[in-house]
Amino acid sequence: MIEKAKEEKRMNVYRVGIDIGSTTVKVVAINDSDEIVFGKYERHLSHTQDKLFSLLCDLKEALGDSIIKAKITGSGAINLGKALDIGFVQEVSAVAEALKHLAPNTDVAIELGGEDAKIIYFEGSNIEERMNGICAGGTGSFIDQMASLLQTDAKGLNDEAKKYERIYPIAARCGVFAKTDIQPLINEGASVPDLSASIFQAVVNQTVSGLACGKPIRGTVAFLGGPLHFLTELKASFIRTLKLTPETTVDPENSHLFAAYGSALEAKDAEGIELSLLLEKLSQGVKMKFELKRLPPLFENEEEYSEFKARHEGARVARGDIKAYEGNAYLGIDAGSTTTKLALIGENGELLYSFYSSNQGSPIATAKRAMKELSELINDKTQIAYACSTGYGENLLKSAFNLDMGEVETIAHCTAASFFNPEVDCVLDIGGQDMKCIKIKNGSVDTILLNEACSSGCGSFIESFASSLGYSARDFAREAIFAKNPIDLGTRCTVFMNSNVKQAQKEGASVPDISAGLAYSVIKNALFKVIKLNTADDLGHHVVVQGGTFYNHAVLRALESIAGVKVTCPDISGIMGAFGAALIARENRKGAKSSILSFEKIEALTYTSSTVRCKGCSNQCILTVNAFEGGRRHITGNRCERGAQDTQSTKKGENVASYKLDRIFNYPPLSKEEAKRGVIGIPRALNIYENYPFWATFFKELGFSVMLSPKSTKAIYEMGMDTIPSESECYPAKITHGHIRWLIEN
């Protein structure tokens, strides 16, 4: 003990706080005056131990070898803290301690992390916390996923949001639901600044309504955590929604390091250890036990993988030389949810040209790029005899390029599948954000099963995980091939699976194990959640798979392993929709010249995108109007055909909706003098809406003047957002809170 005391006197002593979050590692060192002398925040990309080692090396370089008294906190800290013999501090305690030192007047703290979200209420000596459970909607990882969808990063979102003009309603409870809202807006030409600001507003709505659960956010509010520290526009959205002022806003300088700083403050009673010894322990690697179930490897060895690849080489389409080909050719364009694909075929179905690329936020611009590439390859003796579009952007591209026809994507995919296997009885298509299983009987479509609100088994699901771990989708897939211990992630929703992935990371699972586990989960989700098979044997005997996701050999192998069937995976699985559309164009050519614009006109194509309100009826739908040269237009957002015909029409037919509103709510209330018993408020919501004639008459007869809340609007919803007691409430129930709040205030 004497020697140890002498050593501590010889070396500087610092208190150190370590915060191992779901996506980042933070290290803070403070001196005897509780001042931060070192603070760093970096993403760990799943390599928590390596990143901690790197940050502690930086600490040693900044402060020299010293004695540190350390405490650790964060969602990924408990097991690592035990292995390193460092005491654990609960995150809320750490944050509360930091606020007590730096902002003691705080009433409520809102903290957003990579996958954690917290609201902490300070009521005298009592602390109450509201935290997200297994859903990571509305957190940093959600923002990263949405940024990836817009081909940028979180900083890019923040920069774009500064220029926004309008806010679109976007779900934030789940990244998958949000993509379902955002993707059509992208395809319809919504601006990136508006989408960026809408994403931030969705995060605010999720935090306030989903976490507060009925407990109002009042008084002085502190904003903590990386997303709120680095994303000024996200913070501005919170301030705007909560109606805060500079006096009621706490924005600490080191808000992204607060949990680590609080841990350092709590480290007074920790036992000192030489920083160099801690680094030595980390450099040797800290092993932690497996708790999650593991699955068998996808491939046992290289020979097994080689046999697998050789078998699938058989499903190849005949190729033609586009530069040498002469005669009629047929074009298919598949504008999907996240990618655009083109296929040009000859008279015999040979593939002359193909194109596959991310939409980059604009399917028209991507398709124009592909057509320019095609124009440079095709010769003068080849003409596009007929052209067909399919996919999400079917009508958009048909209008833009004046294509001859459009076809629903299920027919396009079945046509392509039958080309490779005439006996096909099941087509399984997994794309970027959608999934289809088409059962075929006697050559005709018998059953179609689609994913609805969930895309946890789709390509963007894997791509998002790959991106969060610092990999491209291709490299991430390659890692899975020879994984020794794939993780069993089950068939859970994307954000729920994050919890298991985090747990696996805590256990030291490798990236190959995570990637292989996700490949298994994609197929389990497809077979047992979307298709709802009782057993994998029910899938079919002649299965053709398609979609860009099956370029991932790990996913393809997982399907064959789980279903126990050898499937046909065409070498053009990623462009099967476009190939099928090209085959349909060949079948439907009537002999007349194609109406498609020339290559020169497509290259010179310009268009404007604007947002207007249809005035055809009282719904006043918000429409996105894409106007092309020659008077061609593509209009989306309308809930009836009238908006697509004329966005400025004021001609009114029989307005049943107006009649219904007038019939239900046109009951004049008693005057103040007549209302002997006072005023009673009735919310215009739930079953009271339809039953209002009864209640209006009932209370009028009793001598009450009835005050009715106004029509439902976004402002009404936001008015009651912070009083909603449970995030699982349906939207009609949630908006009722706003109606009641309006009545209380009036």
Side-chain angles (χ1 to χ4, degrees):
M1 291 294 292
I2 295 173
E3 290 300 319
K4 186 174 181 181
K6 286 181 179 178
E7 185 67 19
E8 289 194 10
K9 282 185 179 179
R10 190 171 60 83
M11 302 175 77
N12 291 324
V13 179
Y14 298 99
R15 280 172 286 153
V16 172
I18 300 168
D19 181 6
I20 308 290
S22 51
T23 58
T24 57
V25 175
K26 285 80 74 178
V27 174
V28 165
I30 61 175
N31 58 22
D32 291 338
S33 303
D34 297 338
E35 298 170 333
I36 296 177
V37 293
F38 176 88
K40 215 159 187 182
Y41 169 110
E42 288 189 10
R43 289 180 179 253
H44 56 61
L45 301 176
S46 186
H47 302 292
T48 52
Q49 293 185 38
D50 293 344
K51 182 53 65 178
L52 178 58
F53 178 80
S54 171
L55 290 181
L56 290 177
C57 285
D58 293 345
L59 174 63
K60 184 177 178 182
E61 186 177 335
L63 303 179
D65 197 9
S66 50
I67 300 292
I68 64 170
K69 295 184 174 184
K71 285 287 179 77
I72 194 167
T73 191
S75 59
I78 295 179
N79 287 345
L80 184 57
K82 287 178 182 176
L84 294 173
D85 199 25
I86 296 175
F88 177 77
V89 180
Q90 210 281 333
E91 283 180 82
V92 175
S93 299
V95 170
E97 186 67 21
L99 283 171
K100 190 166 71 176
H101 274 69
L102 298 179
N105 62 326
T106 299
D107 296 303
V108 183
I110 297 176
E111 182 183 14
L112 298 185
E115 288 173 5
D116 303 323
K118 292 188 284 292
I119 298 180
I120 307 171
Y121 297 89
F122 298 92
E123 299 167 339
S125 58
N126 296 322
I127 296 176
E128 184 179 346
E129 177 204 18
R130 303 289 171 91
M131 186 173 180
N132 65 329
I134 53 176
C135 175
T139 62
S141 63
F142 169 84
I143 294 170
D144 287 342
Q145 286 181 25
M146 297 304 103
S148 176
L149 196 63
L150 297 182
Q151 303 295 318
T152 184
D153 56 13
K155 182 180 181 300
L157 275 190
N158 195 66
D159 293 340
E160 290 289 348
K162 294 174 182 176
K163 302 173 284 187
Y164 87 95
E165 293 182 2
R166 61 162 301 172
I167 300 289
Y168 293 99
I170 292 173
R173 186 181 176 196
C174 172
V176 177
F177 299 160
K179 286 181 183 178
T180 305
D181 287 340
I182 291 174
Q183 195 60 58
L185 291 171
I186 294 174
N187 292 345
E188 292 161 13
S191 73
V192 174
D194 287 350
L195 290 173
S196 301
S198 301
I199 289 165
F200 287 153
Q201 186 61 48
V203 172
V204 174
N205 292 350
Q206 166 63 12
T207 305
V208 176
S209 65
L211 289 188
C213 293
K215 191 173 179 70
I217 299 172
R218 300 281 187 268
T220 303
V221 181
F223 295 104
L224 311 174
L228 285 167
H229 178 81
F230 295 108
L231 305 177
T232 56
E233 295 309 300
L234 174 60
K235 194 186 308 172
S237 294
F238 270 103
I239 292 171
R240 186 169 59 245
T241 301
L242 296 173
K243 298 180 174 58
L244 300 177
T245 65
E247 292 73 32
T248 57
T249 302
V250 176
D251 186 16
E253 181 182 354
N254 294 299
S255 58
H256 58 314
L257 301 172
F258 251 51
Y261 177 64
S263 298
L265 292 170
E266 294 273 14
K268 288 181 180 178
D269 60 344
E271 192 165 333
I273 181 175
E274 286 187 39
L275 180 54
S276 55
L277 293 178
L278 184 58
L279 286 169
E280 184 180 344
K281 190 183 290 189
L282 269 171
S283 67
Q284 295 170 358
V286 178
K287 292 185 179 180
M288 291 177 278
K289 295 179 181 179
F290 288 171
E291 293 178 13
L292 290 173
K293 182 182 174 184
R294 300 299 169 122
L295 296 167
L298 294 166
F299 296 98
E300 292 289 349
N301 48 52
E302 186 70 48
E303 290 75 23
E304 199 172 74
Y305 183 43
S306 297
E307 184 276 327
F308 169 86
K309 288 193 293 183
R311 175 162 52 84
H312 284 289
E313 284 291 318
R316 301 185 68 83
V317 68
R319 309 273 174 165
D321 184 355
I322 188 172
K323 294 181 179 178
Y325 180 84
E326 296 179 6
N328 290 334
Y330 305 91
L331 179 67
I333 304 178
D334 180 5
S337 57
T338 57
T339 54
T340 295
K341 288 81 70 176
L342 268 75
L344 185 74
I345 65 172
E347 287 284 8
N348 298 317
E350 67 273 36
L351 185 64
L352 302 173
Y353 169 79
S354 64
F355 176 88
Y356 181 104
S357 175
S358 167
N359 279 338
Q360 305 288 324
S362 173
I364 294 178
T366 307
K368 280 181 64 178
R369 178 160 54 90
M371 293 298 286
K372 184 176 188 301
E373 188 179 286
L374 175 59
S375 71
E376 294 168 354
L377 296 172
I378 200 168
N379 64 58
D380 295 337
K381 295 181 179 179
T382 302
Q383 55 279 337
I384 297 176
Y386 219 64
C388 174
S389 61
T390 190
Y392 276 88
E394 171 198 331
N395 292 321
L396 176 63
L397 286 179
K398 186 171 178 253
S399 300
F401 295 169
N402 210 31
L403 303 181
D404 301 292
M405 63 179 297
E407 185 58 270
V408 294
E409 55 188 312
T410 49
I411 300 300
H413 285 291
C414 283
T415 303
S418 298
F419 180 87
F420 284 91
N421 184 351
E423 297 180 54
V424 60
D425 58 8
C426 177
V427 178
L428 182 61
D429 174 49
I430 302 180
Q433 203 179 310
D434 57 356
M435 182 190 304
K436 295 181 286 293
C437 178
I438 308 167
K439 292 292 187 76
I440 299 173
K441 196 172 183 179
N442 300 324
S444 300
V445 173
D446 181 61
T447 308
I448 301 174
L449 296 158
L450 305 169
N451 65 323
E452 294 172 357
C454 178
S455 70
S456 65
C458 299
S460 59
F461 162 74
I462 296 179
E463 196 172 349
S464 296
F465 266 108
S467 177
S468 70
L469 297 177
Y471 285 79
S472 67
R474 184 183 296 272
D475 291 341
F476 190 60
R478 195 178 296 120
E479 290 285 335
I481 299 300
F482 297 112
K484 299 298 182 187
N485 300 290
I487 306 157
D488 186 0
L489 295 171
T491 57
R492 312 178 77 199
C493 170
T494 306
V495 287
F496 297 166
M497 253 183 238
N498 284 336
S499 299
N500 275 353
V501 172
K502 283 193 291 183
Q503 179 63 35
Q505 291 169 349
K506 295 173 195 175
E507 295 175 7
S510 65
V511 170
D513 290 344
I514 293 172
S515 180
L518 289 171
Y520 272 114
S521 73
V522 162
I523 298 305
K524 288 181 178 179
N525 183 73
L527 299 185
F528 304 119
K529 278 183 68 179
V530 176
I531 307 173
K532 296 181 173 65
L533 298 181
N534 293 320
T535 67
D537 298 336
D538 297 337
L539 186 63
H541 301 290
H542 300 280
V543 181
V544 176
V545 298
Q546 50 195 44
T549 302
F550 283 108
Y551 282 139
N552 183 330
H553 281 178
V555 173
L556 182 57
R557 177 65 168 186
L559 172 62
E560 294 189 334
S561 298
I562 294 169
V565 61
K566 292 182 178 179
V567 306
T568 300
C569 181
D571 64 322
I572 57 168
S573 65
I575 64 162
M576 289 285 273
F579 185 70
L583 291 172
I584 290 168
R586 186 183 65 168
E587 293 168 7
N588 284 271
R589 188 197 173 203
K590 303 295 189 295
K593 185 179 178 182
S594 173
S595 64
I596 186 173
L597 299 179
S598 66
F599 287 118
E600 292 77 16
K601 286 185 177 180
I602 288 175
E603 187 173 350
L605 178 71
T606 58
Y607 64 97
T608 59
S609 181
S610 59
T611 303
V612 299
R613 280 193 180 273
C614 175
K615 297 177 181 177
C617 73
S618 59
N619 281 333
Q620 296 195 349
C621 301
I622 300 173
L623 308 182
T624 301
V625 181
N626 291 287
F628 306 100
E629 297 169 359
R632 301 186 314 282
R633 295 193 304 175
H634 178 64
I635 301 172
T636 55
N638 46 289
R639 284 172 279 182
C640 73
E641 69 282 355
R642 183 178 295 169
Q645 294 165 355
D646 184 359
T647 60
Q648 300 302 317
S649 173
T650 55
K651 182 181 177 182
K652 294 182 180 292
E654 186 65 32
N655 193 330
V656 179
S658 177
Y659 168 78
K660 180 181 177 181
L661 285 173
D662 184 66
R663 184 67 186 85
I664 292 177
F665 297 112
N666 191 15
Y667 286 82
L670 293 176
S671 66
K672 189 175 181 181
E673 294 73 25
E674 295 173 311
K676 305 299 183 184
R677 294 189 173 182
V679 181
I680 190 163
I682 294 185
R684 193 189 299 232
L686 298 179
N687 66 334
I688 300 175
Y689 188 101
E690 298 285 353
N691 295 334
Y692 181 72
F694 168 78
W695 294 115
T697 305
F698 177 77
F699 286 113
K700 185 175 183 179
E701 290 296 320
L702 290 177
F704 289 97
S705 176
V706 175
M707 177 181 283
L708 181 67
S709 63
K711 293 179 183 178
S712 294
T713 62
K714 183 183 174 187
I716 288 289
Y717 169 73
E718 291 180 351
M719 186 177 285
M721 196 163 58
D722 62 357
T723 67
I724 299 168
S726 170
E727 64 175 317
S728 62
E729 280 188 18
C730 63
Y731 186 77
K734 287 181 176 180
I735 204 167
T736 303
H737 288 255
H739 283 279
I740 294 171
R741 172 64 70 81
W742 186 92
L743 289 168
I744 291 170
E745 293 184 0
N746 286 273

